[in-house]
Structures are given as C-alpha cells and as structure tokens.
Amino acid sequence: MFVPTLFAASVILFIAINVVPGSAARSALGVDATPQAIMRFEALNGLNRPLVVQYTDWLEKALHGDLGTSFQNRVPVAPEILKRVPTTLELAILAFLVANAIALPLGALAALRHRRKADVAISTLATVLGAIPNFWLATLLVLIFSLHLKILPAGGYTPFLESPWQNLIQMTLPALSLGLVSSALLLRIMRTVMLEVLSSDYVRTAHAKGAPEWIVVMRHAMRNALIPFLTVGAVEFGFLFGGVVIIEDIFRLPGIGSLVLVGIINRDYPVLLGSALVVTIIVLAANMLVDTCAALLDPRQIRPREAGQ
C-alpha cells in the first residue's frame, strides 16, 4: 500500500496547496506588481494551466527526482530539501526517544500499580503533559535553562558530524519540547495495553507457575504490549516529524519545518509541495518499518505460505 497511499497523498497535497487563499505571483513580485507582470509570472511557471495538467507535469518530473524550482530564489527545491532532512529527522528521532524513555517505564508502572497512588500520579502527569502546547513548553524551557540557568543554548545548529557533543547540546531543548508533550499519548497507550496484557490468561498462568514478577513483566507482558504500542508510536513519530515547524523556528534549526514556514509565508508552491511529499514518504517508511518490527515480535502476523508456493 506504500505506492498507492503516496500517490493519493500527493493528489490531496497538490489540490490543498493550490486552493489555499493567496497569490503566489503577488507574493513573489510584491504587492505593487502590475496585472501584466502577474500574468507573465503565472505563464512562466505554468500556473495558468488547469490543475490536472499542472499535477501531471509535476508528477512526471517528481518521478525523475525533480521537485521543481522555488518561486522566490529560483533554485531547485529537491537539493534544498535533502540538505535539511537530516536536521528534522534527527530532531524527530531524539524527541521520539525522549517520549519513549518516559512512556515505556511510567506506562508499565502505572499498569502494575493500577488504581494506586502511583497510577493516579502518572495518569495526572500524562494529562498535564498532553495539555501543554509544545511551543509554550519550548519558550518556558528557554526561559529556565538558557536565560536563567545559562546551561543550554537557546538556539543554533551544528551538524552532528562536525561536532557531536555541540550538536546534542543544541538539540536538547528542542527534543525535550517535542518529546515531553508527545510522551503523554504514548504513556496512556502503554498503560492501557499493559493493563490488557496483565489481565490475560497466559500472564496469570505464568504467575501460577511461580515465575518471578520481573520475568513475567519483561518476557511476557512487555513484549506483547509493544506490538500495539509500536503501531501508535509510528503515527506519533509522523506527527513529530511533520509538526516541527514552530519548534524549528523557535530554536533556529535549518530543517524542513523552517523551510515549510518560509514556503507558507511566500506562497512558494514547489517548496511546500516538495517538503510535504518528503514528510509523507518518511512517515510511510516509518509505518512500514513498524509493521516489520511488529511481525518480528509476533510471528503469527506473518501469513503462512500456501501449500505449493
């Protein structure tokens, strides 16, 4: 389903971007542009053609790796996006690791201490984290750790290969801003699936056989709880990767999010469409990877081959 899903997403994205109010020509030429200049701009960039023709032409070029040319600075879009993908991907991965480092142990603990003080405290924490906007949390973290304590930088970016330590220091606050908020949903999911697994027959049988608590939890409960958790986690990773626009702008990170923001402001359709398509590809790839991991955790999900095949 990867290819048809990607095709459907590209059609929806193309239509949505082109029906958004605003004029790409007026944004590129300025508010004082004459009607003749706007007509020349639209003719030069093919914006005066029907949407079906525009999409067919764009799709043919995209299949050959050409995502078009920016309306603003007239540079190819694909190299600019590929240059920014590592920054956004690193931020999404670090934020996802932060979210899982919180959600996995606390969710399991809440399920093990169901309806006790620990469960109530952890559930309250998840509710609070889920109610906090990540851009507000980012501002608060900058205020505390950058302006008052002066232990972490408020922005900037150094490539990982150039200076790994400096890179991780600069990515700490952005990753925390996204990861803490994202952990709320994952924590609730982990608690729910762990409660379901802990009440299953095979867990009760393991307890009845005298297996130690930690073996029952780690070998039986956690492994089976990870399957639905990973499915939701893949969706959440997609939200992290595609929702970094404001966070990248706050911390001045040169990722896809900041490029999308510039594209929105300037009505730069090739930049917006190319960036959205790359985000879609990565999200679909993450879901496909999670499906593979789920099949490895539970081989029953792999259909047995028919006889003779």
Side-chain angles (χ1 to χ4, degrees):
M1 295 300 295
F2 189 102
V3 174
T5 303
L6 182 60
F7 173 74
S10 69
V11 173
I12 295 173
L13 288 170
F14 191 89
I15 295 174
I17 289 174
N18 280 274
V19 300
V20 170
S23 171
R26 194 167 295 278
S27 297
L29 301 177
V31 295
D32 297 327
T34 63
Q36 294 78 8
I38 291 176
M39 291 177 61
R40 285 196 300 270
F41 180 90
E42 292 179 346
L44 177 64
N45 294 281
L47 299 178
N48 57 348
R49 298 177 298 171
L51 283 182
V52 176
V53 178
Q54 292 184 46
Y55 175 76
T56 304
D57 182 58
W58 174 85
L59 181 61
E60 182 180 356
K61 292 180 179 179
L63 291 175
H64 292 85
D66 182 8
L67 297 179
T69 303
S70 171
F71 291 163
Q72 294 292 321
N73 49 27
R74 309 308 302 176
V75 298
V77 172
E80 184 67 22
I81 293 176
L82 292 178
K83 184 174 66 176
R84 293 169 176 262
V85 165
T87 303
T88 302
L89 188 60
E90 180 190 0
L91 176 57
I93 291 175
L94 290 176
F96 192 64
L97 292 176
V98 170
N100 280 273
I102 298 172
L104 283 173
L106 292 186
L109 179 61
L112 290 171
R113 300 293 183 266
H114 184 46
R115 294 182 180 177
R116 301 180 189 177
K117 292 182 179 180
D119 183 23
V120 174
I122 294 173
S123 299
T124 302
L125 175 64
T127 302
V128 172
L129 290 176
I132 298 177
N134 54 31
F135 61 86
W136 182 87
L137 180 59
T139 306
L140 182 63
L141 292 177
V142 169
L143 180 65
I144 295 174
F145 292 100
S146 298
L147 299 182
H148 286 286
L149 299 179
K150 301 184 185 301
I151 58 177
L152 290 172
Y157 178 76
T158 302
F160 183 82
L161 296 179
E162 182 178 322
S163 177
W165 178 246
Q166 183 66 23
N167 171 270
L168 293 176
I169 290 178
Q170 292 173 334
M171 298 294 280
T172 298
L173 291 184
L176 287 175
S177 304
L178 289 171
L180 287 173
V181 176
S182 180
S183 68
L185 173 63
L186 297 179
L187 198 159
R188 287 194 290 264
I189 295 297
M190 189 63 192
R191 176 183 178 274
T192 301
V193 295
M194 276 293 289
L195 283 174
E196 183 179 351
V197 170
L198 289 173
S199 62
S200 58
D201 292 336
Y202 64 87
V203 171
R204 286 195 293 266
T205 301
H207 280 298
K209 290 181 177 180
E213 180 74 15
W214 69 273
I215 291 182
V216 174
V217 173
M218 298 302 298
R219 183 175 297 179
H220 299 285
M222 282 289 281
R223 180 173 180 176
N224 288 279
L226 283 176
I227 298 173
F229 179 83
L230 284 174
T231 303
V232 178
V235 178
E236 188 65 18
F237 179 81
F239 282 122
L240 285 173
F241 189 85
V244 298
V245 176
I246 299 179
I247 296 299
E248 286 188 353
D249 186 61
I250 291 175
F251 292 99
R252 296 294 184 265
L253 298 176
I256 293 182
S258 57
L259 186 64
V260 168
L261 185 61
V262 173
I264 293 173
I265 295 173
N266 296 328
R267 299 292 192 276
D268 201 335
Y269 297 160
V271 170
L272 280 174
L273 189 57
S275 301
L277 186 69
V278 170
V279 170
T280 303
I281 291 174
I282 293 178
V283 171
L284 289 176
N287 279 273
M288 187 168 63
L289 178 62
V290 166
D291 287 342
T292 305
C293 293
L296 294 176
L297 289 171
D298 185 4
R300 294 173 300 177
Q301 295 190 19
I302 304 177
R303 294 179 181 179
R305 292 180 178 270
E306 298 290 341
Q309 290 186 344

